[in-house]
Amino acid sequence: MHLRKIFWLLLLLVLVYMARPLWEEKASEYVDLSFLDAIDQAVESISESPEVEKALGSAKDFTIRIGGELQSLVSDQALDIPKAVAKPEITETDSLFAVHNITIGIAKEEAQAKVGLPLRLMQNEYGTDWHSYHKDYQNYVLLSYDKDGNVNGLYTNQDIISSTKNLTMDSTKEEVRKALGAPLKYLQKGNVQYILDTRDEYDLYKIDDIYVTVFYDIHEKDTVTAIQIIHEDLEEQRPSIYAEPSDEFRKGSEFLLFELTNSARIQRNLPILKWDEEAVKTARKHSVDMAENNYFSHTNQQGKSPFDRMEDDGIRFFVAGENLAYGQYSSIYAHEGLMNSMGHRENIVKADYGYLGVGAAFNSENQPYFTETFFNR
């Protein structure tokens, strides 16, 4: 009985001692912790007793075993990845590009016979909706339809494209430019020419009656990472480079950035993130603050970090991160830009995260601010 009491006492001491790195630095800002030195010496002195040494060893073994079981549990949760879905059989196309064997101009019924029913509709910068098709974000396709129900816009960031130019997701920027020629340097909107600040991360082409945007992954040898195809009639519906903001467009932009993040993760065999409404509120407030006060920073004007803002909003977390984007034409451009920035990319593909909230806002020039709040609890 005496040894058992010593065991439990020492177990408590060991737990506190092992957790010391987690609280000591924070506590030292408010409390003089020099008294711990005496405790360290006392522990060393007590442990010299054979009886106590035996109990201490048992306590350490106990905490290591418990820690191992917890780590195993976390690892099992981290491997909760959706079952792999087979890619569609991609056939040859007579069009410049096809996505999931779908081309510009085909009827909605024919398209949905190939991809099924949409899982979400999200208003886009063209004033239509992106219809989102996928199976656990695999074989991810976005389609837009005109008033007659025909496809007038396509997007994918997965290896389900075909082309009369023999371009694939393995093609390089050099190969794309050799096949399609010189990309556009500006986009004409009415009497205004908008210079395209592509930073060599994407190319925009006008080929016959379609606009083709090819995105590149600069961290994967400039290979194709996504493709967007827009009919010229749809492009002409956008009077300016930046769309007029609305509540529906904001919500659509937030959900789209969330979906693109998961589409990137599932291709890397990572767990799908869950949408978190509380994190959305935190992210949206920061985007609104930046847009209204004309700044762009992880630290707000009150000096609060992303973690401070999450704690203020009552979000519990043991790991968290934040991505910011500003000035891109849409969520697609924002996501592709974030993937080409190594620090932001690391957040997008971090296995430890389980939840994501996305918040968007627009400044007086209709330029969007995006905040992504990643965390796990």
Side-chain angles (χ1 to χ4, degrees):
M1 181 67 69
H2 179 64
L3 183 59
R4 183 177 296 177
K5 289 181 178 179
I6 294 175
F7 168 77
W8 288 111
L9 174 61
L10 289 175
L11 174 59
L12 179 60
L13 288 173
V14 169
L15 289 171
V16 173
Y17 188 82
M18 292 179 69
R20 184 172 171 181
L22 300 177
W23 55 262
E24 182 176 15
E25 181 178 350
K26 192 72 175 177
S28 65
E29 298 176 11
Y30 309 99
V31 180
D32 181 3
L33 299 180
S34 59
F35 70 92
L36 290 174
D37 296 334
I39 292 177
D40 290 345
Q41 294 172 6
V43 169
E44 291 175 3
S45 175
I46 292 172
S47 65
E48 292 175 1
S49 164
E51 184 180 61
V52 175
E53 186 174 4
K54 181 179 179 180
L56 184 60
S58 299
K60 286 183 176 179
D61 290 342
F62 181 81
T63 56
I64 290 171
R65 177 170 61 83
I66 293 297
E69 290 174 357
L70 291 174
Q71 182 61 47
S72 175
L73 179 62
V74 171
S75 298
D76 290 344
Q77 290 177 341
L79 294 176
D80 185 17
I81 300 170
K83 185 178 179 180
V85 174
K87 291 183 179 180
E89 182 180 350
I90 301 301
T91 60
E92 292 186 3
T93 180
D94 294 330
S95 299
L96 180 61
F97 284 102
V99 173
H100 205 304
N101 301 316
I102 298 169
T103 59
I104 292 289
I106 74 169
K108 182 177 183 179
E109 293 76 12
E110 184 180 352
Q112 293 192 161
K114 302 176 188 291
V115 295
L117 296 176
L119 299 181
R120 180 179 282 130
L121 273 63
M122 299 163 286
Q123 189 174 113
N124 59 35
E125 66 272 27
Y126 302 102
T128 63
D129 290 326
W130 281 125
H131 296 234
S132 173
Y133 304 89
H134 59 87
K135 295 181 179 179
D136 290 324
Y137 298 98
Q138 299 168 76
N139 302 327
Y140 187 80
V141 179
L142 297 175
L143 298 178
S144 169
Y145 302 99
D146 63 22
K147 57 182 176 56
D148 296 320
N150 299 320
V151 174
N152 61 2
L154 307 97
Y155 169 89
T156 189
N157 58 0
Q158 299 192 8
D159 189 16
I160 50 176
I161 67 172
S162 55
S163 169
T164 55
K165 297 291 186 178
N166 296 318
L167 296 172
T168 70
M169 288 296 189
D170 293 324
S171 300
T172 64
K173 182 192 303 178
E174 182 180 359
E175 291 169 338
V176 171
R177 291 178 175 179
K178 184 176 180 180
L180 301 183
L184 297 177
K185 298 298 182 184
Y186 62 88
L187 186 62
Q188 187 83 28
K189 290 289 182 184
N191 295 324
V192 180
Q193 287 186 348
Y194 293 93
I195 305 298
L196 299 174
D197 183 19
T198 68
R199 304 179 186 180
D200 275 342
E201 295 182 6
Y202 69 90
D203 286 331
L204 175 63
Y205 295 91
K206 174 66 162 59
I207 301 173
D208 297 329
D209 58 355
I210 63 171
Y211 286 89
V212 178
T213 307
V214 184
F215 297 91
Y216 305 108
D217 190 330
I218 66 173
H219 300 296
E220 296 290 342
K221 300 180 180 178
D222 278 335
T223 51
V224 176
T225 188
I227 185 168
Q228 177 178 273
I229 305 163
I230 302 295
H231 192 276
E232 64 178 352
D233 290 344
L234 180 58
E235 182 60 58
E236 288 172 2
Q237 288 181 204
R238 183 171 57 144
S240 175
I241 200 73
Y242 292 111
E244 280 288 330
S246 68
D247 193 49
E248 283 304 308
F249 179 44
R250 175 186 55 75
K251 290 179 182 177
S253 298
E254 292 170 348
F255 277 121
L256 180 52
L257 194 50
F258 171 79
E259 289 201 355
L260 294 170
T261 299
N262 273 329
S263 181
R265 288 175 66 87
I266 202 65
Q267 294 180 77
R268 292 160 175 81
N269 204 36
L270 295 169
I272 290 174
L273 300 177
K274 298 178 178 64
W275 179 263
D276 187 87
E277 281 293 341
E278 294 306 309
V280 170
K281 294 176 185 176
T282 299
R284 192 179 292 160
K285 283 192 294 186
H286 188 55
S287 289
V288 169
D289 188 35
M290 290 189 293
E292 290 181 350
N293 294 291
N294 193 32
Y295 76 95
F296 185 64
S297 174
H298 291 287
T299 303
N300 68 16
Q301 294 180 313
Q302 288 71 47
K304 291 190 174 183
S305 70
F307 315 111
D308 295 328
R309 297 193 299 273
M310 292 175 71
E311 289 177 349
D312 287 347
D313 290 340
I315 298 175
R316 296 181 296 104
F317 61 91
F318 70 85
V319 61
E322 179 180 85
N323 280 352
L324 301 179
Y326 156 65
Q328 291 82 8
Y329 309 135
S330 71
S331 296
I332 289 175
Y333 285 85
H335 171 74
E336 299 300 337
L338 290 168
M339 284 294 289
N340 276 331
S341 170
M342 185 53 74
H344 297 98
R345 184 190 187 100
E346 288 175 354
N347 272 336
I348 292 171
V349 300
K350 190 177 183 69
D352 294 340
Y353 293 141
Y355 301 89
L356 172 61
V358 181
F362 305 87
N363 66 12
S364 59
E365 297 178 350
N366 298 340
Q367 296 170 322
Y369 286 76
F370 298 99
T371 301
E372 295 178 311
T373 299
F374 300 85
F375 73 102
N376 213 343
R377 56 170 66 96

